[in-house]
Amino acid sequence: MKLFESAIIKFQDTIHAASPTRRVSVGNTSYTIPLRGELSKEHLVSYEEYFERMIQFILRDRIGTFVDVGVNVGQIMLKVKSMDPARAYVGFEPSLVCSSYVDELIRVNELTGCTIVPLALSEKRGTMTFHYSTGADPQATMIDGFWTAQNERKFEKTIFVERGDDVVRSITDDKVAILKVDVEGGELEVMAGFGSILKEDRPIVLVEVLPYLTNYTGDEVETMAFRERRCQSLMTNFYEAGYRPFRILPGMRIEPVEHFGAERFQAEMTNYIILPEEEVALFQTRLAQRDTAA
């Protein structure tokens, strides 16, 4: 089996050897980015720098593995390895197009300590329907009815899903230090599958939650009501697990939130840090000290 896998890798490398690449700086690290159309374009632009700075701030004082649910094309992976090359990284991505590209990124840049699992996570082992429009669709979702008719994805396929607790523990015995989740509406199921790790490891959770809009009309009514119910359940589950949610704001600021609703969509308002309740005071103090020192 290993000889077969090695032959496949060599074959892929031969095909890609003559393909164009570009050197891109991420932090203080220069990476080789294979140019593959939509797969590479996210690496050629810089965005959400405030979110990157928050990741870097958290990494400084937490020991353990960085778990990334929703790798897409490896944007966060490269940032994490730039900030902390020795940090163990485990990523999950159900799109085989994306996971294959990220494996290539790892090989051409000779990254170590990276494990990419071509799998989706949920609350229990089984299958779900994956809705997508392209192979690298950043808005692909496992949740039926999550998108309005205007943003409905074009295609669907059945994918296998596992519980995060089970598969992460099968990969590493290390403590999970940071759990990042970006799954376009599937946060409720993903977090439900991490109950044991939340209880035992108490990781900091970084999660994108797309809001339910409170100012909506027409065809959006049913969709937003559906999102609101799911967001309320997600909030309840965080509190029951002993976590407190804060929105990450530009300028290295955070603000407590009581819900995930919004009057209108603003991309820069959708990133959250979910802190273990026993760490909230210390984290806020450290963040304030950083602002004072700056």
Side-chain angles (χ1 to χ4, degrees), residues 171 251 254 279:
I171 293 171
I254 62 174
E279 295 186 32

Side-chain angles (χ1 to χ4, degrees), residues 3 16 26 37 39 43 129 168 291:
L3 288 175
H16 295 152
V26 178
L39 290 167
H43 294 290
T129 300
V168 170
D291 290 340

Side-chain angles (χ1 to χ4, degrees), residues 155-207:
F155 311 110
E156 62 181 47
K157 62 181 177 180
T158 300
I159 59 172
F160 189 72
V161 298
E162 277 278 10
R163 283 178 55 85
D165 282 335
D166 298 335
V167 68
V168 170
R169 291 302 192 214
S170 73
I171 293 171
T172 179
D173 293 326
D174 288 348
K175 178 179 180 180
V176 176
I178 302 171
L179 173 61
K180 171 257 173 186
V181 179
D182 186 352
V183 290
E184 306 301 306
E187 305 82 22
L188 183 61
E189 288 77 10
V190 169
M191 295 309 307
F194 276 101
S196 294
I197 285 176
L198 291 182
K199 181 178 180 180
E200 296 166 8
D201 295 2
R202 307 299 282 167
I204 285 180
V205 178
L206 297 171
V207 58

Side-chain angles (χ1 to χ4, degrees), residues 86-111:
R87 178 76 57 168
Y89 172 96
V90 176
F92 296 89
E93 175 52 54
S95 167
L96 296 181
V97 173
C98 289
S99 62
S100 177
Y101 179 76
V102 176
D103 282 336
E104 184 184 359
L105 275 177
I106 292 170
R107 290 199 304 274
V108 299
N109 289 287
E110 299 182 345
L111 301 180

Side-chain angles (χ1 to χ4, degrees), residues 54-69:
M54 184 60 72
I55 293 175
Q56 187 171 29
F57 177 75
I58 298 168
L59 284 172
R60 291 173 183 167
D61 294 314
R62 297 192 77 83
I63 297 173
T65 298
F66 189 107
V67 173
D68 188 356
V69 186

